[in-house]
DNA sequence: TCAATGTATATGACGCGTCATTCAATGACA
DNA sequence: TGTCATTGAATGACGCGTCATATACATTGA
């Protein structure tokens, strides 16, 4: 029952998987080694960094990443513990939070972003 | 310092991530719901199914998937516990194992593969 | 033949993501 | 205004993947 079409699909899928894992793995290892944060932490940092206006952001973050709401919450926990980000309560809606980079967070982000972009370029051609 | 090139890279990367997660998630949920196995279990089953000659395979499997050796070992544990696969010791080299689909494994694989291919087609266009 | 070294798999501790649930605040509407 | 549903976020239990290691077998070479 395995049609040629099927084989093509499977091949295409394996190649996507490989390039995804290769790229994600390379970035993750590099960031871990040089900046002591993982890929997901960086992604959140990166999202916060490029939405510099202060909206109520936890929620918005969840919509810009494939991560679960609860995953985002835990990533932010770690970032906060590491002193890179701080949670600000939101006056309009006291259930919401928005995030701010600390000085340290801003500094780390700008170095890490260079590395991140370089590895993307290298892996995505 | 964010060049246009950087933004393009990041966009490209986010789109890869999204399509990877969307596809993997859809397949995983469907297989879980209908056949009670996860995506990684299916991938191993699928690899075993299409290398029908009996070589010493655990090792070979590791080379055809981004999974770690130890991940493969645990996936196979689960498949074996579920009665879908059996580990055969290898006479030539008693460190090695090769895998065989059981009847149940073969049956499940052929139904699940249909679902898998359909979801790939749907998600990869 | 006997170290020493290498190779195939298994295992345990650990970190992270997910799901289900919880909690607080908000909104809707009688 | 008081109830009821809804929403933003946090939390705990749990499963899985990873890393470092262990174990058993194999190979090399003196």
């Amino acid at each position: 029952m395995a049609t040629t079409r099927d084989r093509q699909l499977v091949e295409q899928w394996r190649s996507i998987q490989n390039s995804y894992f290769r790229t994600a793995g390379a970035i993750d290892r590099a960031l871990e080694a040089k900046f002591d944060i993982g890929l997901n932490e960086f992604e959140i940092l990166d999202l916060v960094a490029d939405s510099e206006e202060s909206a109520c952001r936890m929620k918005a973050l969840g919509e810009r990443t494939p991560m679960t709401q609860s995953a985002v919450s835990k990533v932010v926990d770690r970032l906060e513990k590491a002193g890179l980000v701080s949670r600000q309560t939101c006056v309009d809606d006291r259930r919401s939070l928005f995030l701010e980079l600390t000085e340290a967070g801003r500094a780390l982000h700008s170095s890490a972003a260079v590395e991140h972009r370089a590895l993307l370029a290298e892996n995505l051609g």
Side-chain angles (χ1 to χ4, degrees), chain A:
Chain A
M1 288 323 196
T3 66
T4 307
R5 168 80 178 132
D6 279 352
R7 276 189 242 285
Q8 279 175 4
L9 279 170
V10 172
E11 268 326 295
Q12 188 187 346
W13 175 238
R14 286 192 185 145
S15 123
I16 290 175
Q17 282 185 308
N18 284 325
S19 87
Y20 177 76
F21 279 110
R22 192 168 30 72
T23 307
I27 298 176
D28 195 53
R29 279 186 296 277
L31 294 178
E32 200 76 64
K34 299 190 188 171
F35 304 100
D36 202 42
I37 62 172
L39 177 53
N40 282 349
E41 279 82 2
F42 176 80
E43 308 256 15
I44 293 296
L45 223 49
D46 205 31
L47 287 174
V48 175
D50 85 31
S51 14
E52 212 43 274
E53 24 70 41
S54 314
C56 299
R57 198 135 331 92
M58 282 295 281
K59 186 66 197 317
L61 248 48
E63 286 155 11
R64 308 226 273 151
T65 184
M67 281 181 256
T68 298
Q69 173 265 319
S70 116
V72 173
S73 175
K74 293 180 183 190
V75 168
V76 171
D77 281 351
R78 273 171 257 143
L79 288 172
E80 198 171 29
K81 247 160 222 151
L84 300 172
V85 131
S86 78
R87 281 185 238 238
Q88 309 287 136
T89 75
C90 176
V91 267
D92 314 356
D93 182 345
R94 282 167 26 224
R95 294 167 301 181
S96 292
L97 297 174
F98 63 94
L99 300 179
E100 262 180 18
L101 294 183
T102 61
E103 272 318 303
R106 203 175 309 282
L108 187 146
H109 174 260
S110 61
S111 314
V114 174
E115 186 75 20
H116 182 250
R117 288 6 166 194
L119 285 166
L120 285 185
E122 195 173 304
N123 284 275
L124 306 180

